[in-house]
Amino acid sequence: MESITTKAIASALGGIKSAIDIASKLSDASEAIKQADWKLQLAELVEKLADARIQISRVKAELNDKEEEINELKQSLKMKKKLKFNEKYGLYEAEEDGKTVRYCTKCYAEEKLVPVREEERLFVCKRCEQFYHRPEYKSKNEGPPRIVSRPMNRGNLW
Ligand SMILES: [Zn+2]
């Protein structure tokens, strides 16, 4: 499949080639060439160069987009290498600045890395609100889990 970039480059090269042809015809032309014809050729030359310039700008924009895309992919690849699946919680996790950050598995399947919020007996996704049980709390407490927000100043009691 031919990309926009490839087409734009081909078109720009075509335009530049025409421009060179016209320019060399003009430089070869002696007095034999009529002034009207000369002007016409010159106008065509300018037009070809302007077109080529537009095509090259498109290529430039396209390349910028590609570069951004590559950087994003590199970042996500780097992240994926760091991620490990935690069987106990059913969550992905990675060490970040000495802390374990856990990510929603459901969102991960949609190519999104969303950290989960730590609740009393659950991890809850901020985006899709999927919750993940923390089995270490099952033995201690009966009944369905309650969602209790952890106060900011409570620190790490577990
Ligand atoms: Zn999620």
Side-chain angles (χ1 to χ4, degrees), residues 64-151:
N64 279 346
D65 288 351
K66 296 270 181 226
E67 204 168 318
E68 263 176 45
E69 208 180 313
I70 286 170
N71 281 337
E72 275 173 27
L73 286 172
K74 271 186 186 170
Q75 276 299 107
S76 108
L77 195 68
K78 213 170 116 189
M79 205 57 215
K80 277 188 179 171
K81 276 185 186 166
K82 268 170 62 180
L83 286 178
K84 283 183 202 125
F85 189 70
N86 184 322
E87 301 262 345
K88 190 167 125 188
Y89 299 135
L91 287 167
Y92 283 94
E93 57 184 37
E95 293 297 318
E96 276 169 44
D97 303 321
K99 283 194 298 183
T100 304
V101 183
R102 299 188 171 91
Y103 297 94
C104 176
T105 307
K106 197 179 159 194
C107 290
Y108 179 85
E110 294 167 27
E111 305 271 298
K112 286 187 171 66
L113 270 185
V114 184
V116 289
R117 200 173 61 227
E118 224 174 304
E119 302 282 356
E120 196 77 30
R121 288 188 281 156
L122 297 166
F123 292 109
V124 183
C125 176
K126 295 171 194 171
R127 181 175 164 264
C128 70
E129 296 192 336
Q130 171 78 33
F131 60 85
Y132 301 87
H133 290 280
R134 303 178 68 184
E136 66 265 37
Y137 285 92
K138 255 185 193 163
S139 52
K140 291 179 200 165
N141 302 298
E142 295 299 317
R146 289 171 300 127
I147 296 175
V148 181
S149 297
R150 186 160 56 120

